[in-house]
Amino acid sequence: MTSEPDLTQPWLSIKRLFLILVTALVGLVLVQSLLSSWNEPQVASQLQLYQTDLLLEGSAWQGAGLPDDQWPTLRAGLLGQDPVATAQKQYEQVREGAIENMARYAPATQTGESLADEANAGKPLARRVQTALSQQETLLHRLDLRLGLMDAYQERPEAALDRWGQVRDSDTASAPTLRTADTLIRLWQANQANDDDEAWLQASLDGWFEYRALDRLYTVEGREADRAALQALEQETAQGKLVKLALVGALPALGAVTGIGLILWLVAQRVLRGSQSVLRQNAGQGWEIPWTGEIIWQVLIVGFFFVGQILLPLVLGGLGFSSAALSSRGRAIFSLVYYLLMAAGAVGVLWWSIRPWPVPKDLFKLKPSRSALLWGLGGYFVAVPLMFGVALINQQIWQGQGGSNPLLQTVLEEQDGVALLVFFLTAAIAAPLFEEVLFRGFLLPSLTRYMSAGWAIALSAFIFAAAHLSLSEVLPLTVLGAVLGFVYTRSRNLLSPMILHSAWNSATMLGLFILGG
């Protein structure tokens, strides 16, 4: 075996000094990123609204083609007894959350210099707070427009007019939002319609809310034929939305039930078979890691955090590359290319760092096999109920705050098929390949030089979670990382956590496609 490099050489002392300086810089950036996510809203509330919108659109279906005695039972099972009231309650909860978020930003606005002035001056924190505050104000106005339409549908016109009036009188509402509020007030209060109201309502509203506004417009104008055509179109659309709603609810539930059954089987096998159980497979095996903790430090700090979070953005920004002015397809391709460059930089530093030593047996092992597939898929199903449970705890801890992966919101709002395909490739293929090589292939085995496999799984999972730079994601991603680490240590095949990781990201992306489509 090649002997370890002599760490007393002067150039190594310079390297250590460089590592210390880079670590301090990376630490500042990471702490700032994590702290700035503290008051950022999670995408979970948006996901809830998308699912609620499916509920509303599906509620319009009248069960055409089904026996009269079956539809009421099926409708109650899928939609509940009063889907509009249920949807309004959920919208009100999101609205309360938006108001609470705005209250959290209030202290940042009560300074001598206005928040907008600080943001224009280029202060990063002020700019992030200003952006978050504007997003919450926009969300609040959008919610009030929709809640008003639900009030009107439930024959509470005064409540609807009051909501729309608050939007119209707001100093922060955008011009299109003000026009929409004014149009709705005129239709319900004055029973008056303008020539361009139809085109405007079709452009400014969507789904169930668009149908309600257009139904009122056609009623005011006495266009009964158009109203009948609108209702027929809504029936046709509603049936498809019900299918989507069933998929969004049934598939995760099926995965959770499968996972619970698998967990119970594994526990029973562990009790009955002891050390011969699947859970104890390769439990006593470790890796003979020749490199020291300094190499771990170097790869993580320089290869992953410094290159990916600091150097690469500076280089691309200096060259004038930015996704801000790109089309939706351009932004998707930019995200993929950026991720591939970050991965190439990290893998390059990893290779350079460990090249003086022979790679231990089974490290970075990628061997297609039935066992690798079973460990990967089995790990996925075990992770589903665990992540559901952690999500409930996490929601109580963060109350909708703590930030989220920005890709989730982007995918929800994206309508271009090519862009969605590129985002899917990034999340379902590029991310699992790179992150499993780094966190499970390199980091976890390297940590076993200094601690047991169990502690190495836990620490590598925490670092994996923190690397995603959202406080609210630390707990769930630590749990997911622990499952990935356990699968790797038992299968001794990097392909297994890659399959698990890819399956998890693929299911997440497909769920977003269904909700946002």
Side-chain angles (χ1 to χ4, degrees):
M1 179 180 292
T2 305
S3 61
E4 293 187 6
D6 182 5
L7 298 181
T8 63
Q9 297 180 27
W11 76 272
L12 287 173
S13 298
I14 296 174
K15 186 187 78 169
R16 284 183 175 178
L17 178 61
F18 172 74
L19 281 176
I20 292 172
L21 294 176
V22 170
T23 301
L25 177 61
V26 167
L28 288 174
V29 172
L30 292 181
V31 169
Q32 183 183 35
S33 297
L34 287 170
L35 290 179
S36 64
S37 71
W38 186 285
N39 284 326
E40 291 180 358
Q42 295 180 36
V43 75
S45 60
Q46 296 295 314
L47 292 175
Q48 180 185 6
L49 288 186
Y50 275 85
Q51 191 162 350
T52 301
D53 290 345
L54 283 180
L55 174 71
L56 282 171
E57 292 185 79
S59 68
W61 194 48
Q62 297 176 357
L66 293 177
D68 293 338
D69 59 338
Q70 291 184 9
W71 170 235
T73 303
L74 179 60
R75 186 179 192 275
L78 283 174
L79 305 172
Q81 295 297 330
D82 192 344
V84 177
T86 300
Q88 183 159 23
K89 182 179 179 181
Q90 293 171 344
Y91 262 81
E92 291 283 10
Q93 290 174 349
V94 176
R95 186 181 188 278
E96 291 173 5
I99 293 174
E100 291 175 1
N101 291 338
M102 293 173 65
R104 290 189 182 99
Y105 303 136
T109 65
Q110 296 171 357
T111 59
E113 186 177 9
S114 73
L115 188 65
D117 291 340
E118 292 184 16
N120 292 333
K123 296 183 178 180
L125 181 59
R127 185 165 59 249
R128 292 179 72 108
V129 172
Q130 176 68 36
T131 300
L133 184 61
S134 299
Q135 290 174 343
Q136 293 302 297
E137 289 173 342
T138 300
L139 174 62
L140 191 63
H141 296 142
R142 175 170 167 262
L143 293 174
D144 281 335
L145 290 176
R146 294 187 168 207
L147 283 165
L149 284 165
M150 283 187 268
D151 282 325
Y153 179 80
Q154 296 174 94
E155 299 182 355
R156 296 195 296 265
E158 294 302 323
L161 292 170
D162 182 62
R163 290 186 191 273
W164 298 331
Q166 291 180 31
V167 176
R168 184 184 60 183
D169 298 337
S170 172
D171 295 330
T172 58
S174 64
T177 301
L178 293 175
R179 180 177 175 182
T180 302
D182 185 68
T183 301
L184 295 174
I185 290 172
R186 180 163 29 82
L187 287 174
W188 262 269
Q189 187 175 57
N191 291 321
Q192 295 178 353
N194 293 339
D195 293 338
D196 58 351
D197 282 348
E198 181 175 12
W200 179 257
L201 292 174
Q202 289 173 335
S204 60
L205 298 172
D206 55 37
W208 185 88
F209 304 97
E210 178 186 349
Y211 287 124
R212 300 288 72 73
L214 290 176
D215 185 78
R216 178 66 179 185
L217 173 67
Y218 297 157
T219 300
V220 169
E221 294 181 331
R223 296 163 56 182
E224 291 303 320
D226 288 335
R227 187 164 178 248
L230 178 71
Q231 292 172 350
L233 177 61
E234 185 177 19
Q235 286 295 301
E236 181 181 345
T237 303
Q239 188 172 1
K241 298 299 182 181
L242 272 180
V243 174
K244 285 188 174 185
L245 186 64
L247 288 174
V248 169
L251 291 182
L254 181 61
V257 171
T258 303
I260 292 172
L262 184 55
I263 291 172
L264 294 175
W265 178 79
L266 289 170
V267 170
Q269 192 195 48
R270 177 70 177 88
V271 172
L272 296 174
R273 300 189 61 183
S275 61
Q276 300 300 314
S277 68
V278 174
L279 291 177
R280 297 298 297 169
Q281 179 179 318
N282 294 320
Q285 297 186 27
W287 290 270
E288 294 293 332
I289 301 298
W291 48 79
T292 64
E294 185 172 331
I295 297 301
I296 305 174
W297 177 23
Q298 179 174 295
V299 171
L300 280 182
I301 295 298
V302 178
F304 182 74
F305 289 108
F306 179 73
V307 171
Q309 305 299 327
I310 299 176
L311 182 61
L312 190 56
L314 286 176
V315 171
L316 292 178
L319 294 175
F321 292 105
S322 173
S323 63
L326 298 177
S327 64
S328 59
R329 293 185 183 183
R331 288 193 297 271
I333 295 172
F334 181 87
S335 297
L336 176 59
V337 171
Y338 182 97
Y339 195 89
L340 293 176
L341 290 174
M342 180 182 70
V347 172
V349 172
L350 169 60
W351 171 83
W352 181 84
S353 300
I354 67 174
R355 78 189 193 287
W357 293 277
V359 177
K361 182 182 178 181
D362 288 346
L363 201 67
F364 305 117
K365 176 183 175 182
L366 281 168
K367 183 180 180 181
S369 65
R370 179 174 176 270
S371 175
L373 178 62
L374 291 177
W375 272 108
L377 293 180
Y380 168 77
F381 284 113
V382 166
V384 172
L386 295 179
M387 293 293 282
F388 278 172
V390 169
L392 294 176
I393 298 172
N394 208 48
Q395 183 62 28
Q396 295 301 314
I397 294 174
W398 291 103
Q399 297 294 317
Q401 295 301 111
S404 297
N405 188 333
L407 180 63
L408 301 180
Q409 187 66 40
T410 301
V411 172
L412 267 176
E413 297 173 352
E414 185 58 67
Q415 298 296 318
D416 184 84
V418 174
L420 289 173
L421 176 61
V422 175
F423 282 131
F424 182 85
L425 293 175
T426 303
I429 298 178
L433 291 177
F434 165 59
E435 292 176 13
E436 293 314 305
V437 166
L438 181 66
F439 292 104
R440 256 62 63 180
F442 167 75
L443 178 59
L444 194 162
S446 298
L447 290 174
T448 61
R449 174 171 175 146
Y450 300 97
M451 60 189 71
S452 67
W455 283 109
I457 290 172
L459 181 55
S460 63
F462 176 76
I463 296 173
F464 164 73
H468 287 75
L469 302 180
S470 293
L471 283 173
S472 70
E473 293 184 327
V474 170
L475 178 58
L477 288 181
T478 298
V479 173
L480 181 61
V483 177
L484 288 163
F486 184 88
V487 165
Y488 180 48
T489 58
R490 294 305 187 260
S491 68
R492 308 287 291 191
N493 191 338
L494 200 54
L495 190 60
S496 294
M498 285 180 177
I499 291 172
L500 193 168
H501 199 152
S502 179
W504 185 267
N505 285 2
S506 297
T508 300
M509 296 295 287
L510 290 175
L512 294 175
F513 293 168
I514 293 173
L515 286 175

